[in-house]
Every structure is written in C-alpha cells, then in structure tokens.
Amino acid sequence: MILGMGSDLCDIRRIERSIARFGDRFLERAFTPVERAYADRRSGMARIGTYAKRWAAKEACAKALGTGFNNGVFLRDIGVRNRPGGAPMLELTNGARAALGRLVPARMQASIVLTMTDEVPYAMAQVLIQALPAEGIATGTVMG
C-alpha cells in the first residue's frame, strides 16, 4: 500500500552558494553528521553534488510524509545513509519518525524507497513510502 510519494529537483548551484555564504552553520543545520562525513570525503563539485542530492532527498521525503517542514519535522530529522553496497536509504528521527508513524496503519510496517541522481547543475530525488505487512519484520524498523 502506497502511503506517500515525493520528488524534488534542486539546483546544485543554490546549495553551493549557501555553503559559500553560511559554511558550517548551514551544513550543521541542514545535514546529519553522517551526511557531512560522507560528502566531505569528496572534493569540488562532487562534494557539492552529494550535498545537493541529500537536500533533494530531504525535500522529497517531507513531501512524501505529507508534512513538508512543518509540524515538528526538521531537515536534520531526515538523513541519507548508504548501505554497504552504496545504495542510499533514509533514516528518520524525531518529528519525521513520528510523522511516519502516524501514516502507517495498524499491523503494518513502513518501507521507504529512495533514489537520487545528479547532472550538473541539478540534483533530483524521489521517495516512495509504502506499508507492508508487519509479519516477519522487527517492530520499529524503518527499512530504506
């Protein structure tokens, strides 16, 4: 059962300007420590593109949750991690996790699918939130 879907297109140059203007203050406000560590292993436009894709993923997830960045959902409540094979996944905390919990019907478990891409000067992300039967899935687990 599909609970929500969201997409976002981000101009990489906008993220580049925000980083240049506000530096660490912007990065710490918008991105989790895991996201910053991952992006900062890259250099130049690859670093900026990595941040832009994660920004787009946060926006797409907020749309899929149906909240936007309101009702206690903040940028840092939505984090992108990479699985060992490199595939991206979302990790929701605080207000974003609570918003997800309100979407999921009883005896169901949330599954979140994320895809991201970039082609300078744009980054794009799509998020699909679905509910699956909870049978065989550990309670409280949010799959990416």
Side-chain angles (χ1 to χ4, degrees):
M1 167 190 322
I2 295 175
L3 301 177
M5 209 164 87
S7 64
D8 191 69
L9 182 66
C10 173
D11 190 323
I12 295 171
R13 297 165 295 191
R14 184 176 139 227
I15 300 301
E16 183 177 33
R17 286 190 302 269
S18 293
I19 293 171
R21 182 173 178 192
F22 300 108
D24 285 341
R25 194 172 84 197
F26 168 72
L27 295 174
E28 289 171 7
R29 180 179 157 267
F31 299 97
T32 67
V34 169
E35 290 172 313
R36 291 193 314 268
Y38 187 83
D40 290 344
R41 286 196 302 260
R42 291 162 169 64
S43 61
M45 280 310 284
R47 176 179 177 259
I48 304 301
T50 298
Y51 277 121
K53 284 186 285 190
R54 278 145 183 77
W55 180 274
K58 292 167 185 286
E59 292 276 355
C61 183
K63 292 171 186 175
L65 289 171
T67 61
F69 291 107
N70 293 302
N71 303 317
V73 177
F74 299 98
L75 286 163
R76 287 195 48 199
D77 293 345
I78 302 168
V80 177
R81 300 186 67 141
N82 290 80
R83 292 187 169 102
M89 63 180 276
L90 287 171
E91 183 173 67
L92 306 184
T93 59
N94 304 316
R97 182 178 276 284
L100 178 65
R102 290 188 295 272
L103 286 178
V104 181
R107 296 181 302 284
M108 300 290 274
Q109 183 67 47
S111 172
I112 304 174
V113 180
L114 167 65
T115 185
M116 303 183 300
T117 190
D118 65 328
E119 180 68 38
V120 176
Y122 300 108
M124 187 207 156
Q126 292 182 308
V127 171
L128 175 70
I129 301 174
Q130 52 190 341
L132 302 174
E135 183 176 285
I137 298 174
T139 303
T141 301
V142 176
M143 299 184 311

